[in-house]
Amino acid sequence: MKKMIQLLIGLAAGGFLALPSVRAQASYTTPYTFITIAGTALGNGGRDGTNGAAQFYWPEGITVDTNGNLYVVDNFENTIRKVAPVGTNWVATTIAGTTNNSGSADGTNGAAWFNEPTGIALDGSGNLYVADGGNNTIRKLTPVGTNWVVTTIAGTAGNIGSADGTNQAASFYYPSGVAVDTNGNVFVADASNDTIREVTPVGTNWVVTTIAGTAGVNSSGDGTNGAAQFSGPSGLALDGAGNLYVADTSNDTIRKLTPVGTNWVVTTIAGQAGNSSSADGAGLGARFNFPIGIAADTNGSLYVADTYNHTIRIIAPAGTNWVVSTLAGVPGSPGGSDGIIWQALFNYPQCLTVDGTGRVFVGDTINGTIRMGLLTPVPDLVISPAVPDGVVVSWPGADVFTLQTNADLTTINWVNYGGIPVAGNGTNSVTLAPAAGQLFFRLSINP
């Protein structure tokens, strides 16, 4: 992905238009800088605490509420954690489950037990829903004062199956991702059944139906309801129009489920089944490698934890197409460093969520950390006089930005100034002598 910061100065024949400071214009998607807000890379454990003093062991699901609190499924610890912003700090506490204890008991806070929980979602009333993968159940966490009361709403612990039905009569096979719509319907990616299920509240009961895919049929075909096929679907996300998006993990694709009356029409919007790689591009021309997590923002863009590529991807709607770019990370380069775009490294990230301000939160799974992506401020280009005659154009961001030039803004003929990136150590700058004609400048993110 390239970010262009456009237009800054025009150099006119016979003299300079010299401005002391010019605000850059963003012409492409603003880049993100990722920082670690909780946990320490490879410091696996279940300890509560502040920032790096907290420990996680395989964060596999994450969601965020309107107050900026994060809720994290800590898979290997069999717990549900809350990561709350307190000033500039982030405080992690365990709200349900007990570290190192697996089970299926309902109850309050630590008296409730889980078995390899995977996905998590939040409804408009503040209730949490968890896909309890190892128990093959769907659990609900209800806030009661400062406590959390856990109940099983669908499936029976230890009972593997694909049956639709009410409450414990329904069965699942390692459910993974969950999402909740504005009506309180819970959608489940039933990973090992290769299906998408809906859990609908009816009075005090929960009725489970299969809305797409057929249990035991593992493939990649698009279609309506059971005619569609999936392969190990994991992450789920809903947009404001009620469309459901699926990270179809083993197919290396992103699928869309569109409600049409009482039916669900499944289409592949990005990636190609059977072709795992890391290519950016439009629609089926893009490539993923075992994507697991997916989230949707308020503008209709999708964010994907491309797990085996160690990257975070963004899928932006463009007319009837979907354009895939790499937001952060380097394919094939696992790590735990913070930074902008390629400077940020991840280690098999499996889950992510996005809040109303555009912040992206990532469960960096093998690192055992929670990362936050912030929109990177567009830098100023500073224009100052040079002695004896000329100007100095400078900007912050060593090794991040490249100065580009163009003599005519009506064309796309932008080239790196001097033909190569201008490298610096803390500040990049070039000195320009008087020249005839006009010359326009912008910054580009280095590839």
Side-chain angles (χ1 to χ4, degrees):
M1 179 187 72
K2 280 208 174 207
K3 148 84 163 39
M4 304 300 183
I5 300 166
Q6 180 150 279
L7 168 144
L8 300 192
I9 178 175
L11 300 185
F16 284 94
L17 173 63
L19 305 177
S21 179
V22 181
R23 172 63 66 182
Q25 282 185 321
S27 59
Y28 293 1
T29 302
T30 304
Y32 277 79
T33 297
F34 278 85
I35 60 174
T36 302
I37 61 173
T40 300
L42 303 179
N44 293 329
R47 186 174 63 202
D48 290 338
T50 301
N51 303 334
Q55 291 180 327
F56 299 84
Y57 197 0
W58 211 270
E60 194 163 333
I62 189 169
T63 191
V64 61
D65 68 18
T66 55
N67 295 317
N69 299 298
L70 302 173
Y71 300 91
V72 179
V73 168
D74 204 353
N75 178 270
F76 279 13
E77 295 293 346
N78 298 304
T79 55
I80 310 302
R81 316 284 293 278
K82 180 180 180 179
V83 184
V86 180
T88 58
N89 296 313
W90 293 84
V91 179
T93 55
T94 301
I95 63 171
T98 301
T99 296
N100 295 324
N101 284 293
S102 64
S104 61
D106 289 338
T108 301
N109 303 335
W113 286 10
F114 298 85
N115 185 8
E116 296 183 12
T118 49
I120 190 168
L122 181 77
D123 71 13
S125 299
N127 302 298
L128 295 169
Y129 298 85
V130 173
D132 198 3
N135 278 325
N136 303 300
T137 56
I138 307 303
R139 317 287 291 276
K140 180 180 180 181
L141 282 70
T142 304
V144 179
T146 58
N147 296 313
W148 292 85
V149 178
V150 180
T151 54
T152 301
I153 64 171
T156 300
N159 183 26
I160 293 174
S162 60
D164 291 338
T166 301
N167 304 334
Q168 279 68 45
S171 55
F172 300 85
Y173 191 4
Y174 211 88
S176 182
V178 287
V180 187
D181 69 14
T182 55
N183 296 316
N185 300 301
V186 180
F187 297 90
V188 179
D190 199 4
S192 292
N193 275 326
D194 303 307
T195 56
I196 308 302
R197 318 285 292 277
E198 182 177 4
V199 187
T200 304
V202 179
T204 58
N205 295 313
W206 294 84
V207 178
V208 179
T209 55
T210 301
I211 62 172
T214 299
V217 179
N218 176 299
S219 192
S220 60
D222 291 337
T224 300
N225 303 335
Q229 299 161 340
F230 300 86
S231 184
S234 295
L236 290 181
L238 278 160
D239 68 14
N243 300 299
L244 190 62
Y245 299 89
V246 180
D248 196 6
T249 304
S250 295
N251 275 326
D252 302 306
T253 56
I254 307 302
R255 317 287 291 279
K256 179 181 180 180
L257 279 70
T258 305
V260 179
T262 58
N263 296 314
W264 291 85
V265 179
V266 180
T267 54
T268 301
I269 63 170
Q272 188 174 69
N275 285 284
S276 61
S277 184
S278 62
D280 290 340
L284 306 187
R287 295 289 181 268
F288 300 87
N289 192 357
F290 215 75
I292 293 180
I294 189 168
D297 69 14
T298 56
N299 297 316
S301 294
L302 304 174
Y303 299 78
V304 176
D306 196 3
T307 304
Y308 281 18
N309 275 326
H310 312 289
T311 55
I312 308 303
R313 316 288 290 279
I314 183 170
I315 309 177
T320 58
N321 294 316
W322 294 84
V323 178
V324 180
S325 303
T326 300
L327 197 68
V330 177
S333 297
S337 60
D338 292 336
I340 186 172
I341 309 178
W342 68 88
Q343 294 174 346
L345 297 179
F346 300 86
N347 200 351
Y348 293 94
Q350 290 195 19
C351 59
L352 78 177
T353 189
V354 58
D355 71 8
T357 68
R359 296 183 301 179
V360 178
F361 298 92
V362 177
D364 196 5
T365 304
I366 288 186
N367 277 328
T369 55
I370 308 301
R371 316 281 292 276
M372 178 172 66
L374 300 167
L375 293 171
T376 303
V378 176
D380 289 338
L381 271 185
V382 178
I383 318 257
S384 55
V387 178
D389 188 14
V391 295
V392 176
V393 180
S394 60
W395 63 95
D399 304 322
V400 174
F401 298 103
T402 293
L403 186 67
Q404 293 188 324
T405 61
N406 191 348
D408 183 356
L409 287 180
T410 64
T411 75
I412 59 172
N413 187 33
W414 290 94
V415 296
N416 291 342
Y417 182 80
I420 58 173
V422 180
N425 185 13
T427 299
N428 296 332
S429 66
V430 294
T431 301
L432 304 171
Q438 270 190 331
L439 195 58
F440 297 93
F441 292 86
R442 73 179 182 187
L443 297 180
S444 170
I445 289 287
N446 289 330

